[in-house]
Amino acid sequence: MKSEKIKQLAHQLGEQYQKIEDYFTNGSFVIKFYPFLMYPCVHQAQSLSIKFVAILSIFIGIYYLFTELIAILFSEVSLAAYLHHTSFELSLPNGTIIDNNVTVNSPLSFAMRASFLVQGYLFFFIYLLGVTRITQRFRLISGFSALLFSCGMVILYSTQSGKYIENAVQNLGGSLTFLCGNLAMLMIGFGIKSRRQSTFKNFSILAGLIGTAAIFITLFLPLPYLALFERLGITTIMLWEVALGFAILRQVKK
């Protein structure tokens, strides 16, 4: 009996979710605003804004990867930092005290913090204006995950003050933030129906699975190479952002 009630509840929740999503995608909401969007000047402005969002997505993905590389090259252990320091440790200002030890990781920690801020403020914006053009399902779930990722990145940037920071708590917060980003990427992949975007769909799902698995490992297994797995979880998102930009451009040109 309990299993039947659970199935009925799940079915009802699924129906309600679909009604809400239909309202914003092909229901009353669309019918109300669609005629306005078809004005030539509005349509042209929309096309240009979408192209701008696509280029922005490519830029912030490359910007993060390049910034991290430069911060690592100038760190005290150079390229070995990929294995020994998480992204958040590289973003800590020199002089931060953790467990009574003074942190000296990279003189370019401010550049890493800037990359967190850029991701935080732009990721959800790109989702709203770009991703919604190529997905047909799971928009609310993926949108909520994208919003959590953006909020998490802004919070992580704002906590890098140089004062006492609990390293374990910070890494946990970062892992949860990255997990939300990978879940958003995974749901976006499942939400694409267009055959034209089949390559990007498959890439989103594969990268999302790899990134999610890597972050789960950092949450539950105490491994000596924590930094490597955490970096794998964020790198999948950044590479996906680059691929997303090209996917949006392909959608606009059709």
Coordinates of all heavy atoms in Angstrom, one line a residue, residues 53-113:
V53 N 25.8 36.3 -25.8 CA 25.8 35.3 -24.7 C 26.6 34.1 -25.1 O 27.3 33.6 -24.2 CB 24.3 34.9 -24.4 CG1 24.3 33.7 -23.5 CG2 23.6 36.0 -23.7
A54 N 26.5 33.7 -26.3 CA 27.3 32.5 -26.8 C 28.8 32.8 -26.7 O 29.6 32.0 -26.2 CB 26.9 32.2 -28.2
I55 N 29.2 34.0 -27.1 CA 30.6 34.4 -27.1 C 31.1 34.5 -25.6 O 32.2 34.2 -25.2 CB 30.9 35.7 -27.9 CG1 30.6 35.4 -29.3 CG2 32.3 36.2 -27.7 CD1 30.6 36.7 -30.2
L56 N 30.2 35.1 -24.8 CA 30.5 35.2 -23.4 C 30.7 33.9 -22.7 O 31.6 33.7 -21.9 CB 29.3 36.0 -22.7 CG 29.5 36.5 -21.3 CD1 30.7 37.5 -21.3 CD2 28.3 37.1 -20.7
S57 N 29.9 32.9 -23.1 CA 30.0 31.6 -22.5 C 31.4 31.0 -22.8 O 32.1 30.4 -22.0 CB 28.9 30.6 -23.0 OG 29.0 29.4 -22.5
I58 N 31.8 31.1 -24.1 CA 33.1 30.6 -24.5 C 34.2 31.3 -23.7 O 35.2 30.7 -23.3 CB 33.3 30.8 -26.0 CG1 32.3 30.0 -26.8 CG2 34.7 30.5 -26.5 CD1 32.3 30.3 -28.3
F59 N 34.1 32.7 -23.6 CA 35.1 33.5 -22.9 C 35.3 33.1 -21.5 O 36.4 32.9 -21.0 CB 34.7 34.9 -23.0 CG 35.6 35.8 -22.1 CD1 36.9 36.1 -22.5 CD2 35.1 36.3 -20.9 CE1 37.7 36.9 -21.7 CE2 35.9 37.1 -20.1 CZ 37.2 37.4 -20.5
I60 N 34.2 32.9 -20.7 CA 34.3 32.7 -19.3 C 34.9 31.3 -19.0 O 35.6 31.1 -18.0 CB 33.0 32.9 -18.5 CG1 32.0 31.9 -18.8 CG2 32.5 34.3 -18.7 CD1 30.7 32.0 -18.0
G61 N 34.6 30.3 -19.9 CA 35.1 29.0 -19.7 C 36.6 29.0 -19.9 O 37.4 28.5 -19.1
I62 N 37.1 29.7 -21.0 CA 38.5 29.7 -21.3 C 39.2 30.6 -20.2 O 40.3 30.3 -19.8 CB 38.8 30.3 -22.7 CG1 38.2 29.3 -23.8 CG2 40.3 30.6 -22.9 CD1 38.3 29.9 -25.2
Y63 N 38.6 31.7 -19.8 CA 39.1 32.6 -18.8 C 39.5 31.9 -17.5 O 40.5 32.0 -16.9 CB 38.2 33.7 -18.5 CG 38.6 34.6 -17.4 CD1 39.7 35.5 -17.5 CD2 37.9 34.6 -16.2 CE1 40.1 36.4 -16.5 CE2 38.3 35.4 -15.1 CZ 39.4 36.3 -15.3 OH 39.8 37.1 -14.3
Y64 N 38.5 31.0 -17.1 CA 38.8 30.3 -15.8 C 40.0 29.3 -15.9 O 40.9 29.3 -15.1 CB 37.5 29.5 -15.4 CG 37.7 28.7 -14.1 CD1 37.4 29.3 -12.9 CD2 38.3 27.5 -14.1 CE1 37.6 28.7 -11.7 CE2 38.6 26.8 -12.9 CZ 38.2 27.4 -11.7 OH 38.4 26.7 -10.5
L65 N 40.0 28.6 -17.0 CA 41.1 27.6 -17.2 C 42.4 28.3 -17.3 O 43.4 27.8 -16.8 CB 40.8 26.7 -18.5 CG 39.5 25.8 -18.4 CD1 39.3 25.2 -19.7 CD2 39.7 24.8 -17.3
F66 N 42.5 29.4 -18.1 CA 43.7 30.1 -18.3 C 44.2 30.8 -16.9 O 45.4 30.7 -16.6 CB 43.5 31.2 -19.3 CG 44.8 32.0 -19.5 CD1 45.8 31.6 -20.3 CD2 44.8 33.3 -19.0 CE1 47.0 32.3 -20.5 CE2 45.9 34.1 -19.2 CZ 47.0 33.6 -20.0
T67 N 43.2 31.3 -16.2 CA 43.6 32.0 -14.9 C 44.1 31.0 -13.9 O 45.1 31.2 -13.2 CB 42.3 32.6 -14.3 OG1 41.8 33.6 -15.2 CG2 42.6 33.3 -13.0
E68 N 43.5 29.8 -13.9 CA 44.0 28.7 -13.0 C 45.4 28.3 -13.4 O 46.2 28.1 -12.5 CB 43.0 27.5 -13.0 CG 43.4 26.5 -12.0 CD 42.5 25.3 -12.0 OE1 42.2 24.8 -13.1 OE2 42.0 24.9 -11.0
L69 N 45.6 28.1 -14.6 CA 47.0 27.7 -15.1 C 48.0 28.8 -14.7 O 49.1 28.4 -14.2 CB 47.0 27.6 -16.6 CG 48.3 27.3 -17.3 CD1 48.9 26.0 -16.8 CD2 48.2 27.3 -18.8
I70 N 47.7 30.0 -14.9 CA 48.7 31.1 -14.5 C 48.9 31.1 -13.0 O 50.1 31.2 -12.5 CB 48.2 32.5 -15.0 CG1 48.1 32.5 -16.5 CG2 49.1 33.6 -14.5 CD1 49.4 32.2 -17.2
A71 N 47.8 31.0 -12.2 CA 48.0 31.0 -10.8 C 48.8 29.8 -10.3 O 49.6 29.9 -9.4 CB 46.6 30.9 -10.1
I72 N 48.7 28.6 -11.0 CA 49.4 27.5 -10.6 C 50.9 27.6 -11.0 O 51.8 27.2 -10.3 CB 48.8 26.2 -11.3 CG1 47.5 25.8 -10.5 CG2 49.8 25.1 -11.4 CD1 46.8 24.7 -11.2
L73 N 51.2 28.2 -12.2 CA 52.5 28.4 -12.6 C 53.3 29.3 -11.7 O 54.5 29.1 -11.5 CB 52.6 29.0 -14.0 CG 52.1 28.0 -15.2 CD1 52.1 28.7 -16.5 CD2 53.1 26.8 -15.3
F74 N 52.6 30.2 -11.0 CA 53.3 31.1 -10.1 C 53.2 30.7 -8.7 O 53.6 31.4 -7.8 CB 52.7 32.5 -10.3 CG 53.2 33.3 -11.4 CD1 52.6 33.2 -12.7 CD2 54.3 34.1 -11.3 CE1 53.1 33.9 -13.8 CE2 54.8 34.8 -12.4 CZ 54.2 34.7 -13.7
S75 N 52.6 29.5 -8.4 CA 52.5 29.0 -7.1 C 53.9 28.4 -6.6 O 54.8 28.3 -7.4 CB 51.5 27.9 -7.0 OG 51.9 26.7 -7.7
E76 N 54.0 28.0 -5.3 CA 55.3 27.6 -4.8 C 55.7 26.3 -5.3 O 56.9 25.9 -5.2 CB 55.2 27.6 -3.2 CG 54.6 26.4 -2.6 CD 53.1 26.3 -2.7 OE1 52.5 27.1 -3.4 OE2 52.6 25.4 -2.0
V77 N 54.8 25.5 -5.9 CA 55.1 24.2 -6.4 C 54.9 24.0 -7.9 O 55.0 22.9 -8.4 CB 54.4 23.0 -5.6 CG1 54.8 22.9 -4.2 CG2 52.9 23.2 -5.7
S78 N 54.6 25.1 -8.5 CA 54.3 25.2 -10.0 C 53.3 24.1 -10.4 O 52.2 24.0 -9.8 CB 55.6 24.9 -10.7 OG 55.5 25.2 -12.1
L79 N 53.5 23.4 -11.5 CA 52.5 22.5 -12.0 C 52.1 21.4 -11.0 O 51.0 20.8 -11.2 CB 53.0 21.9 -13.3 CG 53.1 22.8 -14.5 CD1 53.7 22.1 -15.7 CD2 51.8 23.4 -14.9
A80 N 52.9 21.1 -10.1 CA 52.5 20.1 -9.1 C 51.3 20.5 -8.3 O 50.6 19.7 -7.6 CB 53.7 19.8 -8.1
A81 N 51.0 21.8 -8.3 CA 49.8 22.3 -7.6 C 48.5 21.7 -8.1 O 47.5 21.7 -7.4 CB 49.7 23.8 -7.7
Y82 N 48.5 21.2 -9.3 CA 47.3 20.5 -9.9 C 46.9 19.3 -9.0 O 45.8 18.9 -8.9 CB 47.6 20.1 -11.3 CG 47.3 21.1 -12.4 CD1 48.3 21.6 -13.2 CD2 46.0 21.6 -12.6 CE1 48.1 22.6 -14.1 CE2 45.7 22.6 -13.5 CZ 46.8 23.1 -14.3 OH 46.5 24.0 -15.2
L83 N 48.0 18.7 -8.4 CA 47.7 17.5 -7.6 C 47.6 17.9 -6.1 O 47.0 17.1 -5.3 CB 48.8 16.5 -7.8 CG 49.0 16.0 -9.2 CD1 50.2 15.0 -9.2 CD2 47.8 15.2 -9.6
H84 N 48.2 19.0 -5.7 CA 48.3 19.2 -4.2 C 47.4 20.4 -3.7 O 47.2 20.4 -2.5 CB 49.8 19.6 -3.9 CG 50.7 18.4 -4.2 ND1 50.7 17.2 -3.5 CD2 51.7 18.3 -5.1 CE1 51.6 16.4 -4.0 NE2 52.3 17.1 -5.0
H85 N 47.0 21.3 -4.6 CA 46.1 22.4 -4.1 C 44.8 22.4 -4.9 O 44.8 22.4 -6.1 CB 46.9 23.7 -4.3 CG 48.1 23.9 -3.4 ND1 48.1 23.6 -2.1 CD2 49.4 24.3 -3.7 CE1 49.3 23.9 -1.6 NE2 50.1 24.2 -2.6
T86 N 43.7 22.5 -4.2 CA 42.4 22.7 -4.8 C 42.3 24.1 -5.4 O 43.1 25.0 -5.0 CB 41.3 22.5 -3.8 OG1 41.3 23.5 -2.8 CG2 41.4 21.1 -3.2
S87 N 41.3 24.3 -6.2 CA 41.1 25.7 -6.7 C 40.9 26.7 -5.6 O 41.4 27.9 -5.8 CB 39.9 25.7 -7.7 OG 40.1 24.7 -8.7
F88 N 40.2 26.3 -4.6 CA 40.0 27.3 -3.5 C 41.2 27.6 -2.7 O 41.4 28.7 -2.2 CB 38.9 26.7 -2.6 CG 37.6 26.5 -3.3 CD1 37.1 25.3 -3.7 CD2 36.8 27.6 -3.7 CE1 35.9 25.1 -4.4 CE2 35.7 27.5 -4.4 CZ 35.2 26.2 -4.8
E89 N 42.1 26.6 -2.5 CA 43.3 26.9 -1.8 C 44.2 27.9 -2.6 O 44.8 28.7 -2.0 CB 44.1 25.6 -1.6 CG 43.5 24.7 -0.6 CD 44.1 23.3 -0.5 OE1 44.8 22.9 -1.5 OE2 44.0 22.6 0.5
L90 N 44.1 27.8 -4.0 CA 44.9 28.7 -4.8 C 44.3 30.1 -4.7 O 44.9 31.1 -5.0 CB 44.9 28.3 -6.2 CG 45.7 27.0 -6.5 CD1 45.5 26.6 -8.0 CD2 47.2 27.3 -6.3
S91 N 43.0 30.2 -4.3 CA 42.3 31.5 -4.3 C 42.5 32.2 -2.9 O 42.1 33.4 -2.8 CB 40.8 31.3 -4.6 OG 40.2 30.7 -3.5
L92 N 43.0 31.5 -1.9 CA 43.2 32.1 -0.6 C 44.4 33.1 -0.7 O 45.5 32.8 -1.2 CB 43.6 31.0 0.4 CG 42.5 30.0 0.7 CD1 43.0 28.9 1.6 CD2 41.3 30.7 1.4
P93 N 44.1 34.3 -0.1 CA 45.2 35.3 -0.1 C 46.4 34.8 0.7 O 46.2 34.1 1.8 CB 44.5 36.5 0.6 CG 43.1 36.3 0.4 CD 42.9 34.8 0.4
N94 N 47.6 35.1 0.3 CA 48.8 34.7 1.1 C 48.7 35.4 2.5 O 48.4 36.6 2.6 CB 50.0 35.2 0.4 CG 50.4 34.3 -0.8 OD1 49.8 33.2 -0.9 ND2 51.2 34.8 -1.7
G95 N 48.9 34.6 3.5 CA 48.8 35.1 4.8 C 47.5 34.6 5.5 O 47.3 34.8 6.7
T96 N 46.6 33.9 4.8 CA 45.4 33.3 5.4 C 45.9 32.3 6.4 O 46.7 31.4 6.1 CB 44.5 32.7 4.4 OG1 44.1 33.7 3.4 CG2 43.3 32.1 5.0
I97 N 45.3 32.2 7.6 CA 45.6 31.3 8.6 C 44.6 30.1 8.6 O 43.4 30.3 8.8 CB 45.6 31.9 10.0 CG1 46.7 33.1 10.0 CG2 46.0 30.9 11.1 CD1 46.7 33.9 11.3
I98 N 45.1 28.9 8.4 CA 44.3 27.7 8.4 C 45.0 26.7 9.4 O 46.1 26.3 9.1 CB 44.2 27.1 7.0 CG1 43.5 28.1 6.1 CG2 43.4 25.8 7.1 CD1 43.3 27.6 4.7
D99 N 44.3 26.3 10.4 CA 44.8 25.3 11.4 C 46.2 25.8 11.9 O 47.1 25.1 12.0 CB 45.0 23.9 10.7 CG 43.7 23.3 10.3 OD1 42.7 23.7 10.9 OD2 43.7 22.6 9.4
N100 N 46.2 27.1 12.2 CA 47.4 27.8 12.8 C 48.6 27.8 11.9 O 49.7 28.1 12.3 CB 47.8 27.1 14.1 CG 46.7 27.2 15.2 OD1 46.1 28.3 15.3 ND2 46.5 26.1 16.0
N101 N 48.3 27.5 10.6 CA 49.4 27.6 9.6 C 49.1 28.8 8.6 O 48.0 29.0 8.2 CB 49.5 26.3 8.8 CG 50.0 25.2 9.7 OD1 50.8 25.3 10.5 ND2 49.3 24.0 9.5
V102 N 50.1 29.5 8.3 CA 50.0 30.6 7.4 C 50.0 30.1 5.9 O 51.0 29.4 5.5 CB 51.1 31.7 7.6 CG1 50.9 32.8 6.5 CG2 51.0 32.3 9.0
T103 N 49.0 30.4 5.1 CA 48.9 29.9 3.8 C 49.7 30.8 2.8 O 49.6 32.0 2.8 CB 47.5 29.9 3.3 OG1 46.7 29.1 4.1 CG2 47.4 29.4 1.9
V104 N 50.6 30.1 2.0 CA 51.3 30.8 1.0 C 51.3 29.9 -0.3 O 52.1 29.0 -0.4 CB 52.8 31.1 1.4 CG1 53.5 31.8 0.3 CG2 52.9 31.9 2.7
N105 N 50.3 30.1 -1.1 CA 50.1 29.2 -2.2 C 50.4 29.9 -3.6 O 51.3 29.4 -4.3 CB 48.6 28.7 -2.3 CG 48.3 27.8 -1.2 OD1 49.1 27.0 -0.7 ND2 47.1 27.8 -0.7
S106 N 49.8 31.0 -3.9 CA 50.1 31.7 -5.1 C 49.9 33.2 -4.9 O 48.9 33.7 -4.3 CB 49.1 31.2 -6.2 OG 49.3 31.9 -7.4
P107 N 50.8 34.0 -5.5 CA 50.6 35.5 -5.4 C 49.5 36.0 -6.3 O 49.1 37.1 -6.2 CB 52.0 36.0 -5.9 CG 52.5 34.9 -6.8 CD 52.1 33.6 -6.2
L108 N 49.0 35.1 -7.2 CA 47.9 35.5 -8.1 C 46.5 35.0 -7.6 O 45.6 34.7 -8.4 CB 48.2 35.0 -9.5 CG 49.4 35.6 -10.1 CD1 49.6 35.0 -11.5 CD2 49.3 37.1 -10.2
S109 N 46.4 34.9 -6.3 CA 45.1 34.4 -5.7 C 44.0 35.3 -6.1 O 42.8 34.8 -6.2 CB 45.2 34.3 -4.2 OG 45.6 35.5 -3.6
F110 N 44.2 36.6 -6.2 CA 43.2 37.5 -6.6 C 42.6 37.2 -7.9 O 41.4 37.5 -8.2 CB 43.7 39.0 -6.5 CG 44.8 39.3 -7.6 CD1 44.4 39.7 -8.8 CD2 46.1 39.0 -7.3 CE1 45.4 40.0 -9.8 CE2 47.1 39.3 -8.3 CZ 46.7 39.7 -9.6
A111 N 43.4 36.7 -8.8 CA 42.9 36.3 -10.2 C 42.0 35.2 -10.1 O 40.9 35.1 -10.8 CB 44.1 36.0 -11.1
M112 N 42.3 34.2 -9.2 CA 41.4 33.1 -9.0 C 40.0 33.5 -8.4 O 39.0 33.1 -8.9 CB 42.0 32.0 -8.1 CG 43.1 31.2 -8.8 SD 42.5 30.2 -10.2 CE 41.3 29.2 -9.4
R113 N 40.1 34.4 -7.5 CA 38.9 34.9 -6.9 C 38.0 35.7 -7.9 O 36.8 35.6 -7.9 CB 39.2 35.8 -5.7 CG 39.8 35.1 -4.5 CD 39.8 35.9 -3.3 NE 40.6 37.2 -3.4 CZ 41.9 37.3 -3.2 NH1 42.6 36.2 -3.0 NH2 42.5 38.4 -3.3

